Amino acid sequence: VPIGTNLLLALLYFFNTADLANDMKINWQINGQSTAATTLTPDILELQVLPQIAPGTELIINAEARHRRDEIESAAARKILIVR
């Protein structure tokens, strides 16, 4: 992942919803620390990689999505990004 602003998108193709903002709750974590999406929709995380982060540093991104009205509908993903 390059230094600067990076947008990460959680593709919620498993869920049957037309109103993502109201029907879904998405929890994002970076290296185990909870963070909130700073964009207008909760499925996009704006990741700021600062210049002081050393190249080769691993950033572990976790995303968990849950349907607000049907808790059985949930999915999670984990990705490891390497700073360039």
Side-chain angles (χ1 to χ4, degrees):
V1 66
I3 299 294
T5 302
N6 299 273
L7 297 179
L8 304 178
L9 173 64
L11 294 174
L12 303 179
Y13 54 85
F14 172 76
F15 302 96
N16 184 17
T17 180
D19 188 358
L20 181 71
N22 288 318
D23 288 348
M24 301 302 300
K25 170 133 178 79
I26 301 175
N27 296 314
W28 292 93
Q29 287 186 342
I30 302 171
N31 290 343
Q33 298 293 316
S34 293
T35 187
T38 56
T39 59
L40 295 177
T41 60
D43 61 330
I44 299 175
L45 177 67
E46 187 176 296
L47 176 64
Q48 296 290 336
V49 180
L50 303 175
Q52 52 267 50
I53 298 176
T57 299
E58 289 186 350
L59 300 175
I60 301 169
I61 310 297
N62 291 302
E64 179 186 30
R66 291 193 174 278
H67 200 291
R68 293 183 191 273
R69 288 177 280 154
D70 187 356
E71 285 289 315
I72 240 169
E73 287 189 34
S74 67
R78 178 179 185 249
K79 296 293 178 191
I80 299 175
L81 305 177
I82 309 291
V83 175
R84 290 191 265 158

